[in-house]
Amino acid sequence: MSGGGPAVRVSIESTCEKQVQEVSLDGMETYVPPLSMSQNLAKLAQRIDFGQGSESDEEGIEAEPKDPQDWGKTEAEEDEATVKFQPSLWPWDSVRNNLRSSLTEMCVLYDVLSVVKEKKYMALDPVSQDPSAGKTPQVFQLISKKKSLATAAQLLLKGAEKLSKSVAENQENRRQRDFNSELLRLRSQWKLRKVGDKILGDLSYRSAGSLFPHPGTFEVIKNTDIDLDKKLPEDYCPLNVQIPSDLEGSAYIKVSIQKQAPDIGDLGTVNLFRRQLKAKAGTQPWHVKLEAAQNVLLCKEIFAQLSREAVQIKSQIPHIVVKNQIISQPFPGLQLSISLCHSTGEKKNHRASPEKPKPDDHLYVLEHNLHQLMREFHKQTLSSIVMPHPASAPFGHKRQRMAGPMAYDKAEISSMQQNEGLLEKIIKQAKHIFLRSRTARTIDSLASRIEDPQIQAHWSNINDVYESSVKVLITSQGYEQICKSIQLQLNIGVEQIRVVHRDGRVISLSHQEQELQDFLLSQMSQHQIHAVQQLAKVMGWHVLSFSNHVGLGSVESIGNASAITVASSNGEYAISVRNGPESGCKVLVQFPRSQSKELPKSDVIQDAKWNHLRGPYKEVHWSRMEGRNFVYKMELLMASLTPCL
Amino acid sequence: MEAPPVSVMPVTGGTINMMEYLLQGSVLDQALESLLHRLRGLCDNMEPEIFADHELVYLLKGQQGNPFLLRARRSLSHPAAPWHLRYLGQPEVGDKSRHALVRNCVDVAASHSLPDFLNEMGFRMDHEFVAKGHIFRRGALKVVVSKLSRVLVPGNTENTEPLSLSSLVELSVLAPAGQDTVSEDMRSFAEQLKPLVHLEKIDPKRHM
């Protein structure tokens, strides 16, 4: 320390003041025994708050006022330390150390202050402090939170933008539909190949076995005539197909049977009204177009085959081929017309509406059958029967290859070949359909016209293209169990009807409508007589005579008349019935002689027993007889003639 | 017995003169599967037909230079099928632009006594082989992919060894003479089989 003055001797002695514990009555002071070092330490140590952090990091300026505290603390700490490590140190060592350190610090402080005051070596400038650093921590938190939220928000916005962009792109894609993906879809259903820089396809049936020379190639082109600014139409497709010009539009084959046209002038002008093709929702426009073109091609092939056969095959009545129509005569008075109706679609207005009121006599079944027959023909060319074994042999039917080694003659070879063409098959089918519908009409008209014997027809569900069958039953109402002798099985073929009777007779009827009608009428009249026969059995009457084809009486123009005679159980009465399809029924009753009045008395017959025999006949007014049908009336008649017992 | 003099003349009259248009190529066995798949797709839609044939080549040596050659072939997988006798003429030397080999062809089906008959006629069997493979067709086009095997013991078709590690591919059409559009179709079909197999016309004379 600078400064004058004599050195002052500092003597230090501890205050020996001891606390008075007690003053006894005789004035003696009992002092509290001074604390020993360890006790003192303990006392001081108790005062130390070890929880409070040491503030030795602070500036030296602030350190000074706290020095005595520090002093105590450090002393305590040092004491502790000295207690731990060096128990036999000078007790005032710590005090001396502390003093020395404080002196050092004071010197330093003084030096710093003097340097700063002189402003020769160092100058202090105020540092602009961040107001926010000094501000309260809450604002800082707010600012930091704001920043972090802003970053998070930016990330989310970026993600949302990406999502919305992809959604928009998807929609764009769905509408725009990439050309390549569309091409892939096209390729999965149609045959395509690349020729140069063009994509060509094949829509013909050649790979399925057809031998039609039409190439059937279509071209795939990119649809570039779109305006990107305008909204794309709903059915926009980036791919377009160009089909050959002769396959455009739609076509079908119309098969119909009509009465023979009176004049030949209006042939070839068949109505070509367009049949709307219903496209399934979701199918591409190119698919619809290609399918329609393929259908047109198949119809053309069918018609070409039919017309070729119509010209080449010799038949009794030649077929007429005019423009797009083939006409043939299956039955006299009838005309079968097969026509190819191809409408290209542009001439919509020309579709004549006067055709509409005409009933649709289009036989759809035959059109379908034509398609099927054509496809079967295709399949035949592809069947493995054609493949040669050994492999070097030419293609051809397996059987025909055997013709050489097995030495077939001409008859065998011709029998091996297919002699029925498409046209013949269709004509046969048409004939059968017509015959079947006419038979049904005949039976139905008879059934509705005639009530007394009822006629029932049970058509078989399972038919052939060339054959159908129907079972016809003739019964009387109320007596179905008794009178069921007339049951006919009709097998309707292509040109004739074969009838199998219950009793075993087989009759062939031609296609004439009248023949069937006449036959059924004759069967109905026979049924009445058969019914009487059955009834007699039930009623107990005896059948005296029965004939299906009676030779007496007037000649019937349809069939023959039948007759029966029955006698009552006691023989007194007899009933004779004659029934003919045209002449109707005639019933006569024979009475016993005793009841008739007009018999003259004769000398020859004298015995009374002869009066019991049957005598003259009397006709019954059948129309005035009570009963709803013939058999019922007959039953009543029989009942009335049977005596009550 | 000395062979009687035979004049070799083409068959005339009575039948249509059929020509065979031929393109040949070969494919290694490793690539056979892919070629079969390709052919299955390109050809008519049928089940692939497998065949196993035994062919015998008969020669008739006349006094003149060129011997007369007949090929008799029978099916091993269909023993009841008739034998097939074939005569192939010389390849027609037309213009070089024709893409396929064209030669006259006569095909005859014969009964099972054919080898004996040929022997009696004076033919002698030159060689025989067994061919196994697949046949495809596309309209009138026939594609035969066959693996040829050598017969070790004459007459025994069970004991065979393959001639090579590849299969022979033949594209042929039988058409009456004069139809040249056939070779165009064949060429376009052969184009579609590249690069799996290169079919080209191979003149047999040059390789003899």
Side-chain angles (χ1 to χ4, degrees):
Chain A
M1 258 197 342
S2 63
V8 179
R9 275 190 70 157
V10 178
S11 63
I12 302 169
E13 73 182 15
S14 62
T15 54
C16 285
E17 282 185 14
K18 298 190 179 85
Q19 278 194 336
V20 176
Q21 188 180 16
E22 174 186 38
V23 178
S24 62
L25 289 167
D26 60 1
M28 278 289 281
E29 290 172 338
T30 324
Y31 297 103
V32 174
L35 291 171
S36 69
M37 284 301 285
S38 54
Q39 282 177 340
N40 203 9
L41 173 66
K43 191 170 118 191
L44 286 171
Q46 273 178 357
R47 280 215 225 134
I48 298 172
D49 182 10
F50 286 104
Q52 206 174 41
S54 71
E55 287 157 324
S56 54
D57 293 347
E58 283 195 340
E59 293 163 22
I61 303 171
E62 294 174 331
E64 205 190 28
K66 297 195 182 149
D67 257 352
Q69 260 183 354
D70 257 352
W71 202 0
K73 275 195 208 149
T74 48
E75 191 188 8
E77 282 172 24
E78 280 205 322
D79 267 349
E80 254 188 34
T82 48
V83 162
K84 280 182 201 163
F85 301 109
Q86 285 168 338
S88 62
L89 210 60
W90 179 38
W92 301 111
D93 188 48
S94 58
V95 176
R96 185 200 50 166
N97 285 340
N98 280 333
L99 268 178
R100 194 177 286 161
S101 60
S102 63
L103 175 66
T104 322
E105 280 182 32
M106 285 298 288
C107 290
V108 167
L109 181 62
Y110 177 74
D111 286 341
V112 166
L113 281 174
S114 58
V115 164
V116 163
K117 232 171 97 169
E118 253 185 293
K119 287 190 207 261
K120 212 162 27 166
Y121 309 108
M122 198 157 75
L124 291 177
D125 272 331
V127 174
S128 63
Q129 285 188 337
D130 213 320
S132 61
K135 294 245 174 94
T136 56
Q138 270 179 345
V139 182
F140 177 70
Q141 272 181 7
L142 177 70
I143 302 293
S144 66
K145 273 212 167 61
K146 206 164 146 184
K147 217 172 177 179
S148 52
L149 277 174
T151 344
Q154 207 173 24
L155 274 168
L156 283 171
L157 275 174
K158 217 160 60 169
E161 199 185 295
K162 257 195 208 165
L163 263 175
S164 65
K165 211 162 54 166
S166 78
V167 163
E169 224 176 61
N170 230 6
Q171 269 187 349
E172 272 300 303
N173 270 354
R174 218 181 300 130
R175 285 192 316 169
Q176 222 178 43
R177 270 193 305 239
D178 195 26
F179 176 74
N180 287 331
S181 61
E182 203 66 17
L183 188 65
L184 201 66
R185 286 171 82 174
L186 179 64
R187 199 173 181 280
S188 67
Q189 294 178 28
W190 297 87
K191 281 178 103 149
L192 296 177
R193 65 180 194 275
K194 201 163 159 76
V195 173
D197 58 347
K198 286 198 290 189
I199 302 175
L200 295 178
D202 181 20
L203 55 75
S204 72
Y205 279 90
R206 272 168 150 195
S207 57
S210 163
L211 300 172
F212 199 50
H214 196 287
T217 45
F218 63 91
E219 193 183 334
V220 178
I221 48 181
K222 205 166 182 172
N223 197 0
T224 48
D225 57 344
I226 48 149
D227 198 354
L228 281 166
D229 295 334
K230 284 198 282 219
K231 187 180 180 293
L232 296 164
E234 272 306 312
D235 54 352
Y236 168 71
C237 196
L239 197 138
N240 212 356
V241 288
Q242 195 169 34
I243 51 180
S245 55
D246 56 345
L247 298 180
E248 275 178 20
S250 65
Y252 62 92
I253 301 223
K254 179 173 171 187
V255 184
S256 63
I257 296 181
Q258 303 125 2
K259 291 260 178 331
Q260 185 140 28
D263 64 344
I264 216 161
D266 58 351
L267 288 175
T269 55
V270 185
N271 49 341
L272 303 170
F273 57 92
R274 198 173 123 206
R275 214 166 39 185
Q276 286 296 331
L277 289 167
K278 39 188 196 312
K280 278 198 299 241
T283 51
Q284 311 300 324
W286 43 258
H287 191 73
V288 173
K289 219 167 160 183
L290 288 171
E291 273 193 354
Q294 198 174 48
N295 189 35
V296 172
L297 186 61
L298 186 66
C299 290
K300 278 188 185 251
E301 184 178 355
I302 292 173
F303 196 75
Q305 172 93 357
L306 287 171
S307 41
R308 190 172 47 234
E309 283 174 16
V311 170
Q312 284 177 355
I313 295 175
K314 299 180 186 55
S315 68
Q316 285 164 345
I317 305 169
H319 315 287
I320 305 169
V321 181
V322 174
K323 274 199 243 174
N324 65 336
Q325 203 177 15
I326 300 172
I327 298 176
S328 78
Q329 272 196 334
F331 290 124
L334 271 178
Q335 179 177 296
L336 171 73
S337 99
I338 304 172
S339 43
L340 172 67
C341 303
H342 183 191
S343 72
T344 44
E346 298 118 20
K347 309 184 204 157
K348 240 195 268 190
N349 305 331
H350 288 233
R351 291 311 127 242
S353 38
E355 307 296 350
K356 285 275 171 72
K358 204 200 260 187
D360 195 15
D361 53 353
H362 183 172
L363 289 167
Y364 294 99
V365 175
L366 289 182
E367 181 193 349
H368 171 76
N369 283 357
L370 271 173
H371 281 253
Q372 275 205 323
L373 284 170
M374 198 74 227
R375 289 290 301 124
E376 225 179 272
F377 175 70
H378 289 171
K379 252 177 82 172
Q380 266 181 2
T381 58
L382 281 188
S383 70
S384 64
I385 310 173
V386 171
M387 291 302 241
H389 284 270
S392 56
F395 290 127
H397 199 276
K398 185 164 69 169
R399 284 267 203 86
Q400 284 180 338
R401 219 169 285 136
M402 298 292 288
M406 306 296 279
Y408 287 165
D409 55 11
K410 190 172 174 201
E412 283 182 34
I413 294 176
S414 56
S415 69
M416 265 193 328
Q417 310 221 337
Q418 228 185 8
N419 26 19
E420 252 190 15
L422 204 61
L423 185 65
E424 285 191 13
K425 284 189 183 157
I426 281 299
I427 290 178
K428 273 171 76 168
Q429 289 182 16
K431 277 179 166 176
H432 173 70
I433 286 179
F434 177 75
L435 201 56
R436 186 176 64 198
S437 63
R438 195 154 70 171
T439 305
R441 212 172 53 220
T442 310
I443 296 174
D444 288 345
S445 70
L446 268 181
S448 57
R449 206 179 61 186
I450 300 176
E451 278 173 14
D452 192 358
Q454 290 179 323
I455 182 165
Q456 296 173 26
H458 299 292
W459 287 87
S460 161
N461 274 334
I462 302 167
N463 296 332
D464 188 44
V465 274
Y466 300 136
E467 199 170 313
S468 308
S469 78
V470 59
K471 192 159 174 134
V472 175
L473 301 165
I474 300 179
T475 54
S476 297
Q477 192 187 20
Y479 296 89
E480 286 88 359
Q481 286 304 310
I482 306 171
C483 322
K484 50 180 181 181
S485 48
I486 307 283
Q487 288 174 8
L488 308 163
Q489 173 95 13
L490 271 71
N491 283 340
I492 305 167
V494 174
E495 275 177 1
Q496 48 182 327
I497 303 171
R498 204 170 69 119
V499 184
V500 180
H501 205 284
R502 189 166 179 248
D503 55 13
R505 284 178 289 162
V506 176
I507 304 159
S508 281
L509 300 172
S510 77
H511 61 84
Q512 306 271 9
E513 192 178 355
Q514 196 63 33
E515 268 192 47
L516 179 66
Q517 195 172 4
D518 293 347
F519 177 72
L520 287 173
L521 286 171
S522 71
Q523 287 299 305
M524 280 174 171
S525 99
Q526 277 189 12
H527 162 81
Q528 308 285 49
I529 301 300
H530 282 256
V532 175
Q533 185 189 27
Q534 302 298 322
L535 195 63
K537 235 186 278 185
V538 171
M539 301 284 284
W541 285 49
H542 310 291
V543 176
L544 296 179
S545 80
F546 171 80
S547 172
N548 254 334
H549 308 281
V550 134
L552 306 168
S554 55
V555 176
E556 309 275 339
S557 60
I558 310 167
N560 286 325
S562 6
I564 187 170
T565 308
V566 292
S568 64
S569 41
N570 58 5
E572 281 190 348
Y573 298 92
I575 301 177
S576 270
V577 186
R578 182 185 190 274
N579 197 320
E582 253 190 353
S583 51
C585 69
K586 196 163 174 184
V587 184
L588 291 121
V589 178
Q590 197 178 26
F591 289 90
R593 290 174 70 93
S594 48
Q595 287 190 13
S596 82
K597 295 174 186 70
E598 58 252 10
L599 277 178
K601 289 258 191 268
S602 169
D603 293 331
V604 182
I605 307 163
Q606 286 171 356
D607 217 340
K609 66 182 176 191
W610 301 112
N611 279 337
H612 294 290
L613 289 176
R614 290 191 296 270
Y617 284 86
K618 265 197 193 164
E619 191 173 342
V620 178
H621 292 283
W622 201 246
S623 49
R624 297 210 291 214
M625 184 87 190
E626 229 181 77
R628 63 170 174 266
N629 59 18
F630 177 85
V631 187
Y632 191 50
K633 290 181 188 178
M634 190 54 66
E635 191 187 359
L636 284 179
L637 181 63
M638 284 182 176
S640 68
L641 293 173
T642 311
C644 316
L645 294 159
Chain B
M1 192 175 83
E2 194 189 82
V6 166
S7 56
V8 181
M9 290 264 285
V11 175
T12 50
T15 55
I16 306 167
N17 217 12
M18 294 298 269
M19 310 297 275
E20 189 202 27
Y21 293 76
L22 183 69
L23 281 176
Q24 287 172 315
S26 73
V27 64
L28 285 174
D29 281 339
Q30 296 105 299
L32 183 64
E33 270 305 306
S34 41
L35 176 67
L36 290 176
H37 276 299
R38 189 80 186 255
L39 283 170
R40 185 95 193 270
L42 286 171
C43 296
D44 283 349
N45 193 12
M46 286 164 64
E47 285 301 314
E49 192 84 5
I50 305 174
F51 73 93
D53 290 343
H54 174 212
E55 180 157 337
L56 302 93
V57 180
Y58 284 89
L59 278 183
L60 181 69
K61 289 189 167 67
Q63 277 88 4
Q64 297 95 323
N66 285 356
F68 187 70
L69 200 120
L70 278 182
R71 296 175 174 273
R73 194 156 167 153
R74 67 169 172 131
S75 173
L76 292 171
S77 51
H78 291 65
W83 284 65
H84 178 233
L85 188 65
R86 188 167 229 212
Y87 164 73
L88 292 167
Q90 297 301 319
E92 262 188 38
V93 277
D95 44 335
K96 292 285 184 274
S97 66
R98 206 182 294 168
H99 305 285
L101 188 76
V102 186
R103 51 192 182 180
N104 188 21
C105 167
V106 180
D107 290 298
V108 175
S111 63
H112 293 267
S113 51
L114 183 66
D116 298 330
F117 175 75
L118 288 173
N119 277 327
E120 292 295 323
M121 290 287 285
F123 286 85
R124 293 289 164 256
M125 191 186 79
D126 185 48
H127 61 274
E128 56 179 342
F129 58 90
V130 167
K132 291 191 177 155
H134 296 78
I135 317 178
F136 297 90
R137 74 174 283 189
R138 183 190 158 93
L141 231 65
K142 176 159 60 161
V143 183
V144 180
V145 180
S146 48
K147 183 113 183 87
L148 302 173
S149 316
R150 183 196 321 216
V151 173
L152 297 167
V153 177
N156 187 5
T157 51
E158 305 296 321
N159 226 358
T160 60
E161 71 165 4
L163 269 176
S164 66
L165 293 172
S166 46
S167 301
L168 175 69
V169 183
E170 286 176 312
L171 175 64
S172 60
V173 180
L174 263 183
Q179 282 189 7
D180 266 346
T181 51
V182 172
S183 56
E184 277 302 316
D185 292 335
M186 288 175 74
R187 193 184 70 87
S188 57
F189 186 74
E191 290 286 316
Q192 297 189 25
L193 285 179
K194 289 183 177 167
L196 280 172
V197 58
H198 286 272
L199 292 169
E200 55 206 7
K201 64 174 176 180
I202 298 170
D203 198 357
K205 267 201 289 219
R206 251 185 269 144
H207 292 266
M208 288 263 254

